[in-house]
Amino acid sequence: MTELTILGYCSGDSVLHKTDVRFKIACLIMISITTISANFWALSMLTLVLAVTFMHVGLSLTSAFKTLRYVFVLLMFIFIARILSSPGTPVFAFSKISVTREGIYDGVSICWRLLDVIVVGILFVSTTRSLEIKSAVAWLLHPIPFIPAKRVATMMSLVMRFMPVILDQARETADAQRARGVENRKNPIYRMSKLGIGLMRRTFERADKLAYAMEARCYSEERTDPALDSDSNDWIMLVFVMALCIAMTVV
Amino acid sequence: MVSAPPLRKTVYASLLAALIAAGAYLSVPIGPVPIVLQNLFVFLAGLLLGPRWGVASVGVYLLAGALGLPVFAGGVGGIGRFAGPTGGYLVGFIPAVYVIGWIAEKWETRIVYDVAAMVLGSVVIYVFGIAWLQALTGMTLAKTLMVGMVPFIPGDILKIAAAVPIARAIRPVIKP
């Protein structure tokens, strides 16, 4: 069974679901730029807003944690590296390693920033249909010469469509291999190649089917995209996010 | 029934881009250290799709990341990533996949050339990655190499070794 991963679209009726994609992309970019130089106060503010939005959209926290478990490992590495590499007043020290106050501060703020941006990305992806992403990308790219905007847009929406499929398939393949005792094999090349072959075989079959389906439905690049329209609510949200970003840089 | 080649290639390139993106979330444990599969799929994009569609695939992946979709390692998107310490590696994916695809297409299905292509591709990625990392942090070259390349070499060797059987198994499946 295809389990719903949080990296795909989840249907719903929230404010974010109704907002125009272009506004959501603008907000996404603004927030991720603002977080680069945000301090603790700004991050707390953003986290509060995100938490409220997260609950409003109605995503499941457990599945978010499940999808992001590797991210947490990565964040931990970054945190440890920061703690050990920043000079400053030591909090405590073993022979050569010393943990500094500045290091802890740095580590926490960097991981917090990354986590906030990840949550923003998740909110975007889970409230936006890939068709909408596609038309927004085409809209963004069409003034740029030499880029086939429509094809790029199609490819990008396919990427977002394939992502959850691949993650599901990878889990299925890994489970199947675990059931057959792959964990007794210590050779990482064997495990990587067997996982890769299983995963790619299946997903390429899926891609083939998709290509046939697109062709059967007379896919061409000259098709009409869904109309993008914005209303006053979108502007209100944009102004709100702008105010949030300005507040974050000021505090 | 045979689909028109551009459509099929478009779908394949999108699939590889999605695999590169999903590769940031997939890992195979070696002892305690998980190896993330991301650049394995960059190699495979070159090997399986050839230079032009390989570049298209990586380009779409990077564009999706720049727009803020959660496709980069660690799930963090946004244009800020290109300015961050790992930006050079990301940009390096494009020439790397071109080099890999070009070599693989020219001497098709010869294992030696596949391996050579991937080694060269890794070198290209590191040239971009290290140059950017050094420019950004102002560390000495030796130290930059110690931080930004040496710890990843064993993983890269394993990935290149794994990419060879994968490419051999998947090539027959791919319709031209």
Side-chain angles (χ1 to χ4, degrees):
Chain A
M1 274 301 284
T2 314
E3 233 180 273
L4 277 178
T5 52
I6 199 155
L7 281 178
Y9 175 76
C10 308
S11 62
D13 198 28
S14 69
V15 177
L16 276 185
H17 282 90
K18 287 179 195 148
T19 312
D20 186 344
V21 216
R22 293 168 295 177
F23 287 81
K24 279 193 265 189
I25 291 180
C27 296
L28 198 72
I29 293 173
M30 277 195 302
I31 291 175
S32 54
I33 289 174
T34 318
T35 48
I36 293 173
S37 58
N39 60 12
F40 275 176
W41 287 111
L43 288 174
S44 320
M45 218 153 66
L46 180 62
T47 309
L48 192 69
V49 173
L50 289 180
V52 171
T53 321
F54 202 87
M55 281 189 285
H56 171 64
V57 171
L59 299 172
S60 123
L61 212 56
T62 30
S63 77
F65 274 115
K66 262 188 194 160
T67 319
L68 295 177
R69 57 187 188 280
Y70 294 122
V71 177
F72 287 122
V73 174
L74 190 90
L75 287 179
M76 216 164 67
F77 273 118
I78 296 175
F79 183 62
I80 293 169
R82 279 283 156 169
I83 284 183
L84 298 180
S85 65
S86 309
T89 32
V91 177
F92 56 90
F94 310 106
S95 57
K96 269 187 178 172
I97 306 164
S98 68
V99 174
T100 62
R101 193 179 299 268
E102 284 80 356
I104 295 178
Y105 182 85
D106 257 21
V108 169
S109 70
I110 284 186
C111 292
W112 197 351
R113 249 174 247 166
L114 293 178
L115 207 60
D116 273 354
V117 177
I118 293 169
V119 172
V120 175
I122 288 176
L123 284 174
F124 175 73
V125 174
S126 54
T127 59
T128 314
R129 287 175 196 281
S130 56
L131 198 63
E132 293 175 320
I133 296 180
K134 176 185 165 228
S135 48
V137 170
W139 181 84
L140 280 175
L141 289 181
H142 83 261
I144 305 171
F146 305 120
I147 292 187
K150 290 227 165 180
R151 185 177 302 167
V152 173
T154 305
M155 288 177 74
M156 203 171 294
S157 71
L158 284 177
V159 170
M160 296 326 286
R161 180 70 194 80
F162 277 134
M163 278 271 284
V165 173
I166 291 170
L167 291 175
D168 269 346
Q169 186 62 57
R171 197 180 312 140
E172 215 175 288
T173 310
D175 282 348
Q177 291 181 344
R178 207 169 299 132
R180 289 162 179 78
V182 77
E183 260 148 35
N184 297 328
R185 294 274 196 156
K186 292 291 174 232
N187 181 355
I189 299 174
Y190 176 87
R191 291 181 58 170
M192 251 194 286
S193 61
K194 285 295 180 262
L195 179 66
I197 291 172
L199 174 65
M200 289 183 79
R201 267 258 164 86
R202 292 288 178 85
T203 48
F204 265 98
E205 272 166 23
R206 270 225 154 94
D208 269 340
K209 275 188 198 158
L210 190 84
Y212 283 136
M214 284 167 80
E215 192 168 64
R217 288 159 181 76
C218 303
Y219 171 82
S220 85
E221 275 164 22
E222 284 88 52
R223 68 173 274 195
T224 324
D225 286 320
L228 293 164
D229 52 10
S230 52
D231 56 16
S232 54
N233 284 338
D234 296 330
W235 289 101
I236 292 172
M237 188 177 119
L238 191 71
V239 170
F240 172 74
V241 172
M242 266 179 179
L244 178 72
C245 289
I246 292 168
M248 279 172 64
T249 39
V250 172
V251 291
Chain B
M1 192 173 92
V2 179
S3 294
L7 175 58
R8 187 174 293 284
K9 285 281 186 188
T10 310
V11 175
Y12 282 162
S14 313
L15 175 63
L16 254 308
L19 279 166
I20 296 172
Y25 297 91
L26 300 175
S27 64
V28 169
I30 302 185
V33 188
I35 295 194
V36 174
L37 299 181
Q38 182 153 49
N39 46 359
L40 172 67
F41 291 118
V42 175
F43 296 155
L44 286 168
L47 291 181
L48 299 173
L49 299 176
R52 292 189 52 222
W53 284 101
V55 168
S57 165
V58 174
V60 164
Y61 163 70
L62 292 180
L63 189 63
L67 285 179
L69 303 174
V71 295
F72 290 154
V76 188
I79 200 134
R81 273 304 280 268
F82 290 96
T86 54
Y89 299 97
L90 292 174
V91 174
F93 281 167
I94 287 191
V97 81
Y98 189 87
V99 169
I100 295 171
W102 185 73
I103 297 177
E105 201 171 65
K106 197 146 188 183
W107 293 279
E108 213 174 336
T109 66
R110 296 275 297 274
I111 292 177
V112 188
Y113 288 109
D114 279 358
V115 172
M118 285 187 280
V119 171
L120 213 61
S122 307
V123 171
V124 171
I125 293 175
Y126 282 120
V127 167
F128 278 81
I130 294 294
W132 179 244
L133 191 63
Q134 200 192 1
L136 205 67
T137 58
M139 291 189 283
T140 59
L141 183 61
K143 199 173 173 206
T144 318
L145 289 175
M146 281 308 290
V147 176
M149 186 169 111
V150 176
F152 306 114
I153 288 180
D156 281 349
I157 294 173
L158 294 177
K159 282 177 212 170
I160 289 175
V164 172
I166 296 178
R168 279 176 67 83
I170 301 300
R171 267 185 187 133
V173 180
I174 294 183
K175 300 190 176 67

